[in-house]
Amino acid sequence: MRHGGGVVAVYHEQTVLAALRAQGYPAHEIYDFANDGCWEVQIPGKTYFSYMHMDFLHVLMQDVLHVAEGEIADFADMEAIRSAYAARMKTVIAQACENLLNAWTPAWREGNNTFCLQMPTPMIDLFEHGCAESGRGYLEGGTPYRVLSPHMGGVGDVANALSAIEQLCFVEKKVSVKQLCEILRKDWQGEEQLALYAKHKLPHYGNGDPAADAHYAWAVNAFA
């Protein structure tokens, strides 16, 4: 686990149970929770799960800071960056969910739980509650629960980026946000010393630094 193998996952049971209660799962089912192959929590045998992967580092670096292209904006403080990032995040998630809903039949959007016809999955259907009873397969909304989740890709990198911006631009004041973005657009060309400083001296998420970890917590909460 220390070396990032990803083979073992640790779950804080009370946090998981509280989350499932808040989502409206029946009390008698939440204690049976399991992970969905990776780490997502579900009720086994009763849940169709899928996720929409989104790159939230791209949202920060391009949509908000315009590092790759577009007019680079300057920000007066971290709160202005966080506010702009949270607003853009909300828009990106809303559009992704709308696109997903539009992929299903209009009848499903109207509430009758009819999914688009999908490739038959008879073996999975045998092991999932609800499929035989409803006459719909696993991929057609046959299970009692359907979870279609946005996935916050790159959140660790987001935390490191926010931490670096705060340290370089507002704590040490080595450069402004606009100057930093211009340097990044040139891939640190001519600023090799600053690149080395950023790589080796700035705090990173997951290393016991409270400030860096706080950026991670903020990003995840804003996403939620």
Side-chain angles (χ1 to χ4, degrees), residues 10 13 16 50 53 61 66 71 93 115 145 160 185 221:
V10 176
E13 185 173 48
V16 172
S50 184
H53 180 269
M61 301 306 289
H66 301 289
E71 183 177 352
I93 293 171
F115 276 41
Y145 307 120
N160 288 336
R185 183 174 286 191
N221 284 324

Side-chain angles (χ1 to χ4, degrees), residues 11-202:
Y11 292 79
H12 188 264
E13 185 173 48
Q14 295 307 314
T15 299
V16 172
L17 296 176
L20 292 173
R21 287 191 196 98
Q23 292 178 56
Y25 286 92
H28 68 279
E29 291 190 343
I30 62 175
Y31 295 95
D32 293 330
F33 78 85
N35 70 313
D36 180 69
C38 297
W39 50 266
E40 305 90 353
V41 171
Q42 62 152 310
I43 307 301
K46 296 186 175 182
T47 308
Y48 163 81
F49 177 86
S50 184
Y51 70 89
M52 301 171 285
H53 180 269
M54 287 177 276
D55 184 349
F56 280 94
L57 180 64
H58 181 275
V59 174
L60 173 65
M61 301 306 289
Q62 177 51 33
D63 294 357
V64 176
L65 299 176
H66 301 289
V67 168
E69 59 184 12
E71 183 177 352
I72 297 174
D74 210 352
F75 291 89
D77 51 38
M78 284 302 299
E79 187 54 40
I81 294 175
R82 283 192 287 259
S83 179
Y85 183 47
R88 180 58 185 163
M89 196 187 305
K90 186 174 182 179
T91 300
V92 168
I93 293 171
Q95 187 59 60
C97 290
E98 184 67 19
N99 292 342
L100 184 90
L101 290 173
N102 287 336
W104 305 113
T105 62
W108 183 79
R109 296 205 62 173
E110 293 166 7
N112 72 358
N113 293 328
T114 301
F115 276 41
C116 293
L117 292 176
Q118 300 281 340
M119 183 70 71
T121 54
M123 183 60 74
I124 297 176
D125 301 345
L126 290 172
F127 289 95
E128 295 286 337
H129 293 273
C131 291
E133 292 82 355
S134 66
R136 296 197 303 270
Y138 174 77
L139 298 177
E140 299 170 328
T143 58
Y145 307 120
R146 280 83 67 190
V147 180
L148 309 172
S149 177
H151 178 268
M152 191 179 192
V155 62
D157 296 318
V158 168
N160 288 336
L162 291 173
S163 180
I165 292 168
E166 181 176 54
Q167 193 69 21
L168 290 175
C169 302
F170 301 114
V171 176
E172 300 179 16
K173 299 183 178 179
K174 291 183 179 292
V175 289
S176 69
V177 175
K178 187 172 184 178
Q179 288 170 333
L180 179 59
C181 291
E182 289 170 344
I183 290 170
L184 293 173
R185 183 174 286 191
K186 297 176 183 177
D187 195 22
W188 302 96
Q189 187 175 356
E191 295 287 348
E192 287 76 12
Q193 286 299 114
L194 185 62
L196 289 172
Y197 181 83
K199 182 177 182 179
H200 297 293
K201 298 297 184 181
L202 295 185

